[in-house]
Amino acid sequence: MASQASQATATTPPPPPPPPRRRRLSITALLNSPSSTPSTPSTVIAKRAKKHDLTRDQRIGIKALHDFGHTYEEISQKTGYSNRQIQTAVNGPVTPQKHRQHHNLLTIKTPDRRRLKEWLQSGRNRYIPICRLRYHLPPPLNNHGDVALNRALQGLGGRSVFRPRRIPLTDQQKAARKAWSIRQLELRPRPVHWEFVLFSDETWAKADFIWKQRAILFDDEDPENIPDFAVKKRSKMTTTALQRTGIPVLRFPAYAPDLAPIENLWPWLKAWMEDNFDIQAMGSQELRPVIQAAWDAIPGDLLLRLAHSMPERLQKCIQKEGNYIDY
């Protein structure tokens, strides 16, 4: 019996070994453990010091320099600010605004709407583009965003329009244009007679492909009563120079841009500037020599053709009873 028990005990298989314990990985141990690959020296990345935020007065000063035609580089050299700071001051609000979670941020109340209309109707504020309006508004109107200002202008009946090139003529103005054309055609009937007439005019020179100036008008306003908006401009500098030299002045009738051949010269001048220079990237000071270069590049035969077109213009004006002509 004892031998059978010992024999049975000897043939019993041993129990399986216990599973290995999982070891918790330590990030510190992994970093400190020796590696087969040679270790590279760690590089320290230097963090660029953050520029201080500009104050409201500094932002206004930068905007003023930029509006007077100075480039970013010139402003940076004069003030010591970085180009990024200057770009933020020019394109951003004068006073950084906090994001407030109020539903009435898109609505301007009636008292502020009245102040907005009064401010736009004073001076030359109406000629400021709507996209830059909030950067020029006084407090507290400058706390509103573009969406709120656009909605307020729509509610006030305001709109942004181009300066009109042609204003509807009255019967009196048509009669004056026709009488002037008849008189000038009698004095200078041949095209060669107009080669001795100096035509003077002025136009907007802007670093913009549109080449036109916009203004904000309201429904209750008459464009004729708005200063510098109606097409009746006369340069005091040119008038004074003519008076000093004693050159006789040929007075054109009111609202007669179609009878002045120099009006057809501006499209050629502006197209030449756009083809030869990147005028969108220029300030007002950089634009001056470009305008002079374009003026010097005007071909002489173009000037003669425009001057010789005067008899035909006058004849068409007479045929249309003083109305505008297509020229």
Side-chain angles (χ1 to χ4, degrees), residues 55-89:
T55 62
R56 184 176 185 273
D57 293 339
Q58 291 172 339
R59 291 171 183 255
I60 292 176
I62 292 176
K63 284 180 178 291
L65 290 174
H66 186 264
D67 291 340
F68 275 96
H70 293 280
T71 61
Y72 286 1
E73 289 75 12
E74 295 175 350
I75 299 175
S76 178
Q77 293 176 0
K78 294 181 179 180
T79 60
Y81 304 137
S82 64
N83 289 340
R84 184 63 176 175
Q85 287 177 305
I86 297 172
Q87 182 181 7
T88 304

Side-chain angles (χ1 to χ4, degrees), residues 39-280:
S39 60
T40 58
S42 60
T43 58
V44 179
I45 301 176
K47 189 175 182 181
R48 186 174 57 182
K50 183 179 179 181
K51 294 287 185 179
H52 67 279
D53 293 334
L54 301 180
T55 62
R56 184 176 185 273
D57 293 339
Q58 291 172 339
R59 291 171 183 255
I60 292 176
I62 292 176
K63 284 180 178 291
L65 290 174
H66 186 264
D67 291 340
F68 275 96
H70 293 280
T71 61
Y72 286 1
E73 289 75 12
E74 295 175 350
I75 299 175
S76 178
Q77 293 176 0
K78 294 181 179 180
T79 60
Y81 304 137
S82 64
N83 289 340
R84 184 63 176 175
Q85 287 177 305
I86 297 172
Q87 182 181 7
T88 304
V90 171
N91 300 323
V94 175
T95 303
Q97 303 178 13
K98 296 182 179 179
H99 297 282
R100 295 174 292 176
Q101 302 296 330
H102 293 292
H103 68 280
N104 58 353
L105 284 180
L106 302 180
T107 304
I108 300 180
K109 297 182 179 180
T110 303
D112 285 345
R113 288 193 178 193
R114 295 198 192 100
R115 298 190 192 99
L116 176 62
K117 185 175 181 179
E118 293 173 359
W119 185 83
L120 288 172
Q121 291 177 334
S122 62
R124 295 185 57 85
N125 295 331
R126 67 172 72 246
Y127 296 103
I128 300 175
I130 294 182
C131 60
R132 298 181 59 86
L133 195 60
R134 63 191 180 103
Y135 306 138
H136 297 265
L137 286 171
L141 296 177
N142 58 354
N143 293 328
H144 302 286
D146 294 336
V147 177
L149 291 174
N150 285 329
R151 291 184 178 181
L153 288 176
Q154 293 177 2
L156 294 170
R159 63 194 186 281
S160 178
V161 298
F162 286 114
R163 286 170 56 107
R165 291 186 58 85
R166 291 185 177 183
I167 294 179
L169 300 174
T170 62
D171 294 339
Q172 184 179 0
Q173 293 167 350
K174 294 178 184 178
R177 283 166 51 93
K178 181 180 178 181
W180 186 86
S181 299
I182 295 174
R183 177 60 178 167
Q184 296 304 320
L185 198 58
E186 293 174 353
L187 296 175
R188 302 174 181 85
R190 299 177 57 188
V192 68
H193 294 157
W194 292 94
E195 294 182 6
F196 304 95
V197 178
L198 300 177
F199 295 93
S200 175
D201 192 27
E202 59 187 61
T203 185
W204 287 99
K206 301 175 60 180
D208 189 357
F209 66 94
I210 299 179
W211 287 95
K212 295 180 181 179
Q213 187 184 38
R214 283 183 172 270
I216 300 175
L217 296 184
F218 297 94
D219 294 338
D220 56 352
E221 289 182 324
D222 185 5
E224 289 291 321
N225 299 327
I226 298 177
D228 300 331
F229 186 76
V231 188
K232 43 184 179 183
K233 52 186 183 294
R234 187 174 298 153
S235 175
K236 294 182 180 180
M237 183 183 300
T238 305
T239 305
T240 304
L242 292 176
Q243 292 175 354
R244 290 178 179 178
T245 56
I247 299 177
V249 179
L250 175 61
R251 298 293 183 184
F252 268 64
Y255 307 109
D258 52 338
L259 300 180
I262 195 174
E263 292 287 350
N264 300 99
L265 188 62
W266 303 132
W268 185 95
L269 194 75
K270 296 171 182 178
W272 187 91
M273 293 172 59
E274 293 177 353
D275 293 340
N276 293 274
F277 295 92
D278 185 14
I279 61 174
Q280 280 77 25

